[in-house]
Amino acid sequence: MANRGSVKPSGNFNSSADAEVLHKAMKGLGTDEDAILQLLTARSNVQRQEIKAAYKTLFGKDLVDNLKSELGGKFETLIVGLMTPPIMYDAKSLHDAIKGAGTDEKVLVEILASRTPEVVNAIKAAYKKGKTLHLFLYTWSLSHPEQNKHENNTWKSPTATVLFKAGEEKFGTDEQTFVTILGNRSAEHLRKVFDVYMKMAGYEMEESIKRETSGSLEDLLLAVVKCARSVPAYFAETLYYAMKGAGTDDNTLIRVMVSRSEVDMLDIRAAFRRLFSCSLHSMIKGDTGGDYRKALLLLCGGDDA
């Protein structure tokens, strides 16, 4: 599969030379933020890890610690995110969403509904946080497609029929059936089921979920359905609503731009332009400022105006 990220590995890469540039940018009075953001947004995550190792070898210091001490605010959060290996970044995002009083279910839903089964397994292996693990595993089980386990050539009516009987045709809703089916089918299989379901019920699957469920379960199932239809469209919508209206959900903006920059940012941009009356680039430009904006725009990779 072709890389659809806006950030690609640098061609003439030299980790020691890059480490020297970063060291110089942070040496003495003042910090050259522009040099830092220009370099780090033009390297892949694998290359950033090599730069971090070279920095330790050359200067005996931890690059991320130095960046934290020199930068601040949302810009620091973004740069530190770029310096974190993707699986660890997802695991930390989940940990931060669960720790303390209350749970940021939006983060759980976003990550667990959108990642491939292989990635979710890797996150699970990286996630070792004691008593909060059971909640993570429960949510993970809802969105882990055990692909092909239940799939065969008879998908056309049984799966859609079961969903219909569990929802629209039933007084009250058999939520477990929705969870079991939506959490244990591949995206390709689910898209076929949605088409048949629409003909049977007269409603799109999303509409039935809204009618039949509520709260965090509704959010999770809707996200699973949206991601089955199109992961880039799901993230385009996530980014749009993170910036729409008064105030910006910077945590979501940073998380999506960091985690998708090497995966499918080009497709997210195209979906954004198709779904909304502006480009992702122009919305970021109008909603953020300073070095934070410069770095986000570089991760965006271009304007589709």
Side-chain angles (χ1 to χ4, degrees), residues 6 10 36 41 58 73 86 131 172-173 179 205 228 270 272 278 283 298:
S6 54
S10 174
I36 293 169
T41 58
L58 289 169
K131 63 181 180 180
T173 304
V179 167
M205 181 59 67
F272 196 99
C278 61
M283 199 162 186
L298 287 168

Side-chain angles (χ1 to χ4, degrees), residues 25-59:
M26 293 185 282
K27 193 178 177 183
L29 290 172
T31 303
D32 187 350
E33 287 89 352
D34 201 58
I36 293 169
L37 70 89
Q38 291 285 349
L39 191 149
L40 293 179
T41 58
R43 303 291 184 271
S44 68
N45 195 281
V46 169
Q47 290 176 334
R48 293 182 204 122
Q49 303 315 312
E50 292 181 32
I51 295 168
K52 182 181 175 184
Y55 193 93
K56 181 74 172 177
T57 301
L58 289 169
F59 307 110

Side-chain angles (χ1 to χ4, degrees), residues 138 141-142 174-184 217 221:
Y138 169 70
S141 71
L142 301 189
D174 181 359
E175 294 179 342
Q176 188 56 47
T177 297
F178 273 80
V179 167
T180 301
I181 290 176
L182 294 179
N184 288 281
L217 178 61
L221 294 181

Side-chain angles (χ1 to χ4, degrees), residues 161-194:
T161 302
V162 170
L163 283 171
F164 183 66
K165 289 182 179 297
E168 294 294 342
E169 199 175 71
K170 184 181 175 69
F171 181 75
T173 304
D174 181 359
E175 294 179 342
Q176 188 56 47
T177 297
F178 273 80
V179 167
T180 301
I181 290 176
L182 294 179
N184 288 281
R185 302 292 194 277
S186 69
E188 182 185 6
H189 180 82
L190 286 176
R191 286 193 293 273
K192 294 173 182 174
V193 170
F194 299 157

